[in-house]
Amino acid sequence: LYLHLRRNGFPLDRFSFPPLLKAVSKLSALNLGLEIHGLASKFGFFHADPFIQSALIAMYAACGRIMDARFLFDKMSHRDVVTWNIMIDGYSQNAHYDHVLKLYEEMKTSGTEPDAIILCTVLSACAHAGNLSYGKAIHQFIKDNGFRVGSHIQTSLVNMYANCGAMHLAREVYDQLPSKHMVVSTAMLSGYAKLGMVQDARFIFDRMVEKDLVCWSAMISGYAESYQPLEALQLFNEMQRRRIVPDQITMLSVISAC
């Protein structure tokens, strides 16, 4: 549609740019994004419209140009919680987890209060970086500031503690969940399996109503790495009986169990 409008000489107003940039972000179409950025600057929209600025930051981050995203972020005269969220998420998407934590600290210094989305992103960064102390500090911040702990935050907390190997803390949060959906249960199972706590992992596994390939693979891998090859092969056979197609990760675990 954008190319059609350009070819036929239709004018673009400032409301056209955010949805165009969102589409570019989903496609990671950097060259098209650069062209749209140039047009926004040419028409004088860039400096006047924070929605276009935020959309450009998201576009550059989605295309892997995180330094360009940060350059635009730093040039903004006003940043609301949405803008901070976009930049923090951009660092997370590009696996710059230390920068996620640094920017979160900058945000607090600026006086902007985080929302649940930002807290989940920061907890995810802690999980990937294995930064247990910072993750615990975020958990305490959530408690101290009376955040409504919905399923997204609870899942992020479980995932963070499990990835950091603090399964007793992950279990405390997990046991408080009113409904234990597949994603959070898989995080618990994987955490136990990685530490060789296969009985605890199997306890979670057997109580899951839904199980996807990730869940089956994690349990098989847990058995294989804990020198329980018979259990790994039995579970693999059960997975096949249920017509779940294994992937490369599953097959590597099965081979190691043989």
Side-chain angles (χ1 to χ4, degrees):
L1 179 60
Y2 163 73
L3 295 174
H4 173 76
L5 292 173
R6 293 286 294 156
R7 276 197 300 266
N8 290 278
F10 287 101
L12 295 171
D13 61 17
R14 63 188 181 90
F15 300 106
S16 308
F17 285 91
L20 283 172
L21 289 165
K22 187 175 182 180
V24 169
S25 297
K26 288 184 177 180
L27 296 170
S28 296
L30 178 61
N31 288 336
L32 191 55
L34 290 169
E35 180 182 326
I36 294 170
H37 186 178
L39 283 174
S41 298
K42 179 181 176 181
F43 296 155
F45 294 146
F46 173 71
H47 294 290
D49 195 316
F51 294 104
I52 294 176
Q53 292 172 327
S54 295
L56 280 166
I57 292 168
M59 182 274 292
Y60 280 117
C63 293
R65 297 279 287 266
I66 195 66
M67 296 298 292
D68 292 318
R70 183 58 192 262
F71 178 75
L72 293 178
F73 178 83
D74 288 339
K75 285 177 67 176
M76 291 183 71
S77 58
H78 173 71
R79 307 181 192 102
D80 61 10
V81 69
V82 174
T83 311
W84 284 98
N85 180 38
I86 290 169
M87 191 65 238
I88 288 171
D89 185 60
Y91 275 132
S92 183
Q93 285 177 33
N94 287 273
H96 295 298
Y97 303 119
D98 288 341
H99 284 88
V100 169
L101 307 186
K102 288 176 184 176
L103 191 59
Y104 175 72
E105 289 296 327
E106 285 184 40
M107 187 194 71
K108 289 198 299 181
T109 303
S110 77
T112 304
E113 289 294 322
D115 60 10
I117 297 172
I118 288 176
L119 292 172
C120 286
T121 304
V122 174
L123 286 168
S124 176
C126 292
H128 282 97
N131 194 331
L132 178 60
S133 61
Y134 203 98
K136 289 171 75 173
I138 295 295
H139 192 180
Q140 192 60 49
F141 175 84
I142 291 167
K143 290 178 180 178
D144 292 345
N145 288 272
F147 272 87
R148 179 182 171 275
V149 183
S151 62
H152 289 299
I153 287 182
Q154 287 175 317
T155 300
S156 297
L157 284 167
V158 169
N159 190 55
M160 181 273 296
Y161 282 130
N163 272 272
C164 292
M167 293 309 300
H168 63 295
L169 296 174
R171 190 60 185 261
E172 283 181 15
V173 180
Y174 182 77
D175 286 343
Q176 293 170 11
L177 290 168
S179 61
K180 296 167 177 60
H181 53 78
M182 185 171 63
V183 175
V184 72
S185 293
T186 302
M188 282 294 297
L189 187 160
S190 299
Y192 279 132
K194 287 174 185 174
L195 294 174
M197 302 168 70
V198 288
Q199 287 185 326
D200 295 289
R202 189 59 190 257
F203 179 85
I204 300 291
F205 181 85
D206 287 340
R207 280 153 184 76
M208 291 176 68
V209 177
E210 291 182 85
K211 300 181 183 78
D212 64 2
L213 178 59
V214 175
C215 174
W216 284 91
S217 296
M219 193 66 245
I220 291 169
S221 174
Y223 278 131
E225 291 176 13
S226 299
Y227 305 104
Q228 297 185 42
L230 182 61
E231 287 81 356
L233 294 173
Q234 286 175 342
L235 197 60
F236 177 68
N237 289 333
E238 174 65 20
M239 189 182 84
Q240 287 188 305
R241 282 195 294 272
R242 299 195 183 200
R243 301 184 183 280
I244 298 170
V245 180
D247 62 4
Q248 187 177 10
I249 296 171
T250 314
M251 294 309 301
L252 285 172
S253 296
V254 173
I255 291 167
S256 69
C258 293

